[in-house]
Structures are given as C-alpha cells and as structure tokens.
Amino acid sequence: GEDVEQSLFLSVREGDSSVINCTYTDSSSTYLYWYKQEPGAGLQLLTYIFSNMDMKQDQRLTVLLNKKDKHLSLRIADTQTGDSAIYFCADLIPNSGNTPLVFGKGTRLSVIA
Amino acid sequence: EAGVAQSPRYKIIEKRQSVAFWCNPISGHATLYWYQQILGQGPKLLIQFQNNGVVDDSQLPKDRFSAERLKGVDSTLKIQPAKLEDSAVYLCASSLVVGDEQYFGPGTRLTVT
C-alpha cells in the first residue's frame, strides 16, 4: 500500500523560512495535501497541489512537487510563532470509487521567538 | 457555514467497556469518514460512507468496531469491547462528494485504562 514519510521535527527561528519535506510511494496520486493540526484541534487544510503541477504558491505558503522523485515540500515564509503545530502531508489515491487519504506521521514545527 | 461537529470531545473508559462517538457532518456533504489517530501518528482511515452506504471499511476492526450512518447524515462509531490500544483521537471528516476536499471535526479523544 501507499507509504507517506515525513521527518518528525523541525525547529526554526521566528522570521525565518521553514521547509517541511514529504515523500510518497504511489505514482497514481492525484492530489497531495498539507494539513495543519494545532494542539487539541482537528486537521485544517492548508493547501494542496494537483499532481500535474510543479509548484503552487498561496500567500506565505509554497508547495513544490517533484513527481519523478515522489517528493513534496511545504515552505512557510516569514515563520511566526502561530505557525507552531504539527504538519501532515497526505496523499489522495484514486481507487475503485473510494478515495482514501493516506497521511504521514506529521512534522512537529517549533518556532523559536 | 457550520463545521463538522463531534461529541463527546473526551472520553475515559475502562478496558472491555463500550463507547460510542457521534458525528454531524457539514450540511449537504454526501461523504463521511472516520479516522483513528494514535498519538504520534497520522490519521488512519477506518471507514468511509457515501450517503448511508459503506464505501470502504477495509481497515475497520470489525470484531469490535462498528459504524453506521442512518439517513445519510449523522454517523456513530462504536467500540465494543474497548482495548487499551484503542486509546486515540477519533476524527470525523466530511466532503461534498468523493474525492473532494475533506473537512475535519475537532475529534474525540478516547483514553482506555
């Protein structure tokens, strides 16, 4: 089955850029997502990219997709303390009418003031 | 627009007891998902409904877990009897149609002692 891998921790200084990386294994992926989870809260969709795109920019967020290497990254410019959270990469696999989202284990981003 | 509602938010039970979780999806969303998120892991899909029919329950431990979505709106997830390893956050999500963006509720944190 599909496997999504992320590094577990990232620590950055406030104002710096953060780059969170993710690798996946299934080449039939259609959409790849980045979700944010703050303590005690559900998952909030941050952004997504369609598999035929290389890059997507949305305000402070930039998503890069290297389909050949099955590598996805999320760059957060000018990282703020409010960005401290767990970030999940998720892969949408089309499969016979159902569309499971397969999540990585999450990267815990700590922003140091 | 109201989000996905879940209750209770927290539940503590002893092993071998039963527990039920409730989810009210966003109005008009045909697809409903239940995920299990064990501490330190990403969410894992348990079951997916399309209206009141089950689309995917391949990862649901059917000897102890059951779920239903009567009338294609609210859903309940039940565990009977609970085991220690069921301690997790149970997340409900909904989407307008299969493959569309999933909106997550705040989750129910279950502790089995």
Side-chain angles (χ1 to χ4, degrees), chain A residues 8 31 33 35 37 40-45 48 86 88 92 95-106, chain B residues 9-10 33 35 37 40-45 48 55-56 89 91 98-107 109:
Chain A
L8 295 183
Y31 287 93
Y33 296 83
Y35 282 85
Q37 187 176 40
L43 278 78
Q44 173 197 354
L45 178 65
Y48 64 92
I86 301 176
F88 291 94
L92 188 72
N95 181 18
S96 305
N98 65 323
T99 52
L101 268 179
V102 179
F103 286 85
K105 290 186 178 181
Chain B
R9 290 296 311 277
Y10 305 92
Y33 313 79
Y35 289 86
Q37 186 180 15
Q41 306 271 333
K44 182 186 82 171
L45 180 70
Q48 176 183 344
V55 174
D56 183 358
V89 175
L91 295 164
V98 169
D100 203 13
E101 177 184 340
Q102 295 183 28
Y103 294 83
F104 283 79
R109 182 177 296 276

Side-chain angles (χ1 to χ4, degrees), chain B residues 5-9 20-23 34 107-108:
Chain B
Q6 291 188 245
S7 68
R9 290 296 311 277
F21 313 127
W22 173 81
C23 172
W34 282 102
T108 296

Side-chain angles (χ1 to χ4, degrees), chain A residues 33-69:
Chain A
Y33 296 83
W34 284 104
Y35 282 85
K36 177 182 180 182
Q37 187 176 40
E38 295 179 88
L43 278 78
Q44 173 197 354
L45 178 65
L46 283 180
T47 187
Y48 64 92
I49 189 167
F50 188 50
S51 59
N52 69 352
M53 297 169 65
D54 297 325
M55 186 182 90
K56 181 179 179 182
Q57 187 150 6
D58 184 1
Q59 298 181 336
R60 291 191 298 124
L61 305 177
T62 303
V63 180
L64 294 177
L65 175 61
N66 181 329
K67 204 171 178 185
K68 175 176 167 287
D69 294 339

Side-chain angles (χ1 to χ4, degrees), chain B residues 42-98:
Chain B
K44 182 186 82 171
L45 180 70
L46 290 175
I47 188 166
Q48 176 183 344
F49 291 94
Q50 177 68 16
N51 296 309
N52 60 348
V54 175
V55 174
D56 183 358
D57 63 356
S58 56
Q59 299 199 80
L60 187 74
K62 298 180 188 64
D63 57 334
R64 298 183 301 105
F65 285 64
S66 64
E68 61 183 9
R69 191 183 183 199
L70 299 175
K71 301 179 183 177
V73 181
D74 293 4
S75 177
T76 55
L77 176 69
K78 296 179 182 176
I79 308 175
Q80 179 180 11
K83 292 186 175 181
L84 295 176
E85 58 261 36
D86 298 331
S87 293
V89 175
Y90 291 84
L91 295 164
C92 179
S94 70
S95 64
L96 195 59
V97 293
V98 169

